[in-house]
Amino acid sequence: MSNRTIRSLLALSMVIMLLSSLATCFIINDRDSADNGISSGIQAQSSMESDTAVTNSNPLGSYDPPIEITTVRNLSDVVENNVFNVLEDETLENNRWSRLYEEELGIKIKYNWVMKGDDVSDQYLQKMNMTLASGDLPDIIPVNAYQLKQLADSGQIEDMTALYKQYASPLLQQILTGEGSGAFDAATFDGKLMAIPQTGTSIDQAQLVWIRTDWLEQLGLKPPRSMNDVLAISKAFSELDPDGNNLRDTYGLAITKDLWGGAMGLEGFMAGYGAYPNIWLQNSSGKLVYGSIQPEVKKALQNLQAMYHNGELDPEFGVKDGSKISQMIASGKIGMEFGQQWNSIWPLQLNKNNEPNAQWQAFPIYTEAGDRASIPLKFGTTRFFAVRKGAAHPEAVIKMFNLHVEKNWGKTQENEYYYAPPDAESVWQLSLVQPAPTRKNLEIFRTLNDVRKSGDETQLTGEAKAIQQKLKLYASGSKEGFALWGWERIYGAEGAEGVIDQYDKNNQFLFDQFEGAPTPTMVERLRTLDKMQNEVFVNIILGAPIEQFDKFVQDWTKLGGEQITKEVNDYYSSIH
């Protein structure tokens, strides 16, 4: 997933769906032979349809009779990506995932409320906060880290510790701990697991620099090998008429008012200067410090300010979100952006659709001196699934997690139908829970690369096989294949995943060092500090004196940052 989502694989993802029925024996065959007795989970009165339903204690066992659970959902991602528009006769209430959950697990879903439409993330957050404050909670509650702490502190949600040990399938356990225990640390309070963390493909957060290579060729330029090259390309794109219309109406670099995110974000630009805002870093003394207040950020901001002054950035970026800047890219007015591997599917495919001869490619990020940059990865688990205290079947959410990973990556996988079928991308978004292996996209690229070398496609299964079909359709030159250009730009021989492969082999990933639950002062102050940070950074880029950065550092420290840093280090020292 960010200031925007995609029609591809990734993620950031916020759904809920459920399950029913009998055909479970296929899925669990060869996986486990757990007892089919009654769950030890709490059987208190709830809004679930049947308080007397027998809980099959197999990780993929079905409820008999079926149960109904309540939940809430933010549908903006799915609607924006047109999933419902391309899946004929499938709706939120009745689609392949909801039917699977009902048929296989005996779980039906009822939505207390659903947020729809473009750019409703803030509205969803406000609605969820109102729901939490009211105490009128659904059975399954998708929350962020701050909301989870609020619920845990108020005693409104179930302790999932024993239930996870009992019900989590081996495959689920393997996937959720793919990058260690951090995701569980963030969901654990006083030694109790208070929600199931939804992990994803963390290394796909890695930023790359996407550049219009047809513009490079038009101007006789080479791909960048340093940040100085990036600045030179930006200057050329804005001054030398790369679109050939004899007007100075193009810009070098895409950025938005939000500054950060998976598309058109500044994390990658900053990394080229050794600056890592919004993550916690270990200093030379072994203490954790916040990246946003380090001096390297100041130099990066100075360069952005110079680019703005020279007309290399959209003059209205300070009031435009990702959807507005993506329209500039689509119309052929911007030639470079920093973002994640999925950006070729959105927003760059929009430009390709309008200009069939346009071509973009992802390149690695280098430092000013031309060295390989360290690539920051923010702590990737941002969504947790908590269960209302007293829910009759608190283990149901774990069973959903089990089925999601089984159908996409397990022995009985039907990835081409439930994940990204040829006729509809990102179908996985229809599932409420969306855990994914942390390195799956990189491993797919490596598998496809082996196939390119050997010519042997017989080894391909599941998602890799489905993506290979997309690549072949694109290579056919057909009208249908043209729409798959973005997939080729990710998984092809010159694809973005090839850059991530380089990052991985060169040990360039720089992980956020704080993976715990939000500290007390974070809950109280960090949102305000983040808002202040972005306001100051935008103002500096627009031309405010660079000394405002020094004042920001002082204010950040005084207004809660110093106490947050102490709490973060107290936690860090307790686990190291």
Side-chain angles (χ1 to χ4, degrees), residues 39 55-57 59 163-169 395 398-399 402:
S39 166
T55 304
N56 189 319
S57 61
L163 292 171
Y164 180 78
K165 291 177 181 177
Q166 179 180 356
Y167 287 96
S169 69
E395 73 290 333
I398 303 172
K399 286 174 171 278
N402 291 338

Side-chain angles (χ1 to χ4, degrees), residues 157 235 271 298 304 495:
I157 53 177
K235 182 177 174 67
K298 187 175 183 179
L304 288 165

Side-chain angles (χ1 to χ4, degrees), residues 467-489:
I467 291 174
Q468 178 69 353
Q469 292 173 346
K470 293 176 187 291
L471 298 185
K472 292 174 72 173
L473 185 56
Y474 170 74
S476 73
S478 67
K479 180 179 179 181
E480 294 80 7
F482 181 81
L484 299 173
W485 170 84
W487 287 83
E488 190 277 335
R489 293 286 84 189

Side-chain angles (χ1 to χ4, degrees), residues 212-221 237 240-245:
R212 277 195 67 162
T213 53
D214 59 313
W215 282 11
L216 289 179
E217 294 170 5
Q218 174 74 13
L219 301 179
L221 301 173
F237 281 1
L240 301 183
D241 191 27
D243 61 356
N245 68 353

Side-chain angles (χ1 to χ4, degrees), residues 113-152:
W113 52 262
V114 176
M115 298 295 292
K116 299 182 180 180
D118 293 338
D119 196 23
V120 299
S121 295
D122 288 342
Q123 298 174 46
Y124 174 80
L125 184 64
Q126 294 170 10
K127 180 73 171 178
M128 177 60 78
N129 286 339
M130 291 174 60
T131 297
L132 301 185
S134 72
D136 184 19
L137 302 178
D139 298 317
I140 295 178
I141 317 160
V143 291
N144 62 29
Y146 293 93
Q147 294 164 338
L148 176 59
K149 180 170 174 56
Q150 175 186 342
L151 287 172

